[in-house]
Amino acid sequence: MIFIIGLGASDINQIPIGVAEYLKKDFPIYLRTDQHPMIDFFKDNNINYQSFDYIYETYDTFEEVYETIITTLIQKHEAEKNIIYAVPGHPCVAEYTVKELMNRVTDTKIIGGQSFLDGMFAALRIDPIEGLQIIDALKFDISKVDTSSHLFIPQVFDQLVASNLKLDLMEKYKIVIQIRSVWKTFHRLEGIDYRPLYQLD
């Protein structure tokens, strides 16, 4: 079995007890990345893990990185039988490796973890029932934007992505609009920045 565990959007205070207990099981643990507040939990409890961060440094594209992670996990599963694969947030939200892993391996189980969306709703005080659209910044298609609903754009991780996004959005929104940038939700360093769209980058 591959137990796919969501580490949530912050530290141990946001993790259900059941999820924490799974992480203490005597199974090999593989992290997509150890750049996460939950890493302190692993260190404090002497929990061994292997991070895939080195793979990001080895390849030039996300496609190569993700394929290598998936292939490695399948090999580890065949050798060890029971393993844990832990990812930031919730496994079913914006986690390509999880989606593709479940397509290739039937012997998987999803276990908890709050997604970044939960933190966004709380930070921005938005009820998604009012209308919500989520479009990945790396696959952004301006023709799909619905201007009548809230628009969340994750993965705006550098200035180039922000600049391209700004130009697309300014073409769609002909008037000056305010945007809100949110980071580290559910964390003591959570922040929200308000500015006009033309200052996005």
Side-chain angles (χ1 to χ4, degrees):
M1 178 76 72
I2 301 180
F3 298 94
I4 305 174
I5 293 180
L7 298 177
S10 185
D11 57 22
I12 188 61
N13 294 315
Q14 295 295 329
I15 291 291
I17 294 175
V19 171
E21 290 304 312
Y22 257 98
L23 294 172
K24 294 178 182 178
K25 289 182 179 291
D26 191 24
F27 298 151
I29 297 177
Y30 301 92
L31 306 183
R32 182 172 65 73
T33 177
D34 63 11
Q35 303 304 302
H36 191 281
M38 271 293 288
I39 206 64
D40 291 337
F41 172 80
F42 288 90
K43 293 177 179 177
D44 292 344
N45 290 275
N46 296 312
I47 299 173
N48 293 321
Y49 63 86
Q50 178 181 325
S51 166
F52 288 135
D53 284 307
Y54 71 95
I55 296 178
Y56 286 86
E57 300 168 3
T58 305
Y59 296 98
D60 295 326
T61 67
F62 285 121
E63 288 78 10
E64 292 173 304
V65 169
Y66 295 156
E67 182 59 31
T68 303
I69 290 173
I70 293 162
T71 302
T72 302
L73 287 168
I74 291 173
Q75 291 171 348
K76 298 294 185 182
H77 171 51
E78 290 172 350
E80 304 283 350
K81 302 307 177 189
N82 290 319
I83 66 171
I84 289 174
Y85 177 45
V87 299
H90 190 284
C92 293
V93 178
E95 280 294 339
Y96 176 83
T97 57
V98 171
K99 181 179 179 181
E100 188 59 29
L101 190 62
M102 291 191 297
N103 285 338
R104 301 189 199 182
V105 181
T106 56
D107 195 18
T108 59
K109 181 179 177 66
I110 296 288
I111 301 170
Q114 288 183 317
S115 75
F116 73 93
L117 295 175
D118 298 290
M120 292 286 283
F121 300 148
L124 297 173
R125 301 181 181 183
I126 285 175
D127 184 346
I129 203 168
E130 298 169 356
L132 173 65
Q133 192 173 23
I134 306 167
I135 304 179
D136 186 339
L138 302 181
K139 300 177 182 177
F140 194 75
D141 182 349
I142 193 65
S143 68
K144 295 181 179 178
V145 172
D146 176 4
T147 58
S148 66
S149 67
H150 298 294
L151 174 62
F152 282 8
I153 308 174
Q155 301 212 75
V156 184
F157 62 84
D158 65 19
Q159 191 173 19
L160 178 61
V161 173
S163 293
N164 291 334
L165 188 61
K166 176 189 76 172
L167 295 174
D168 283 343
L169 290 172
M170 288 182 70
E171 188 66 29
K172 184 79 170 184
Y173 295 89
K174 300 297 185 181
I175 59 174
V176 175
I177 62 168
Q178 290 286 116
I179 60 167
R180 287 174 278 183
S181 302
V182 185
W183 59 91
K184 292 188 180 294
T185 58
F186 287 137
H187 190 273
R188 60 185 176 79
L189 298 178
E190 176 180 289
I192 305 177
D193 178 66
Y194 296 79
R195 65 180 59 229
L197 173 59
Y198 62 81
Q199 292 183 357
L200 173 58
D201 55 349

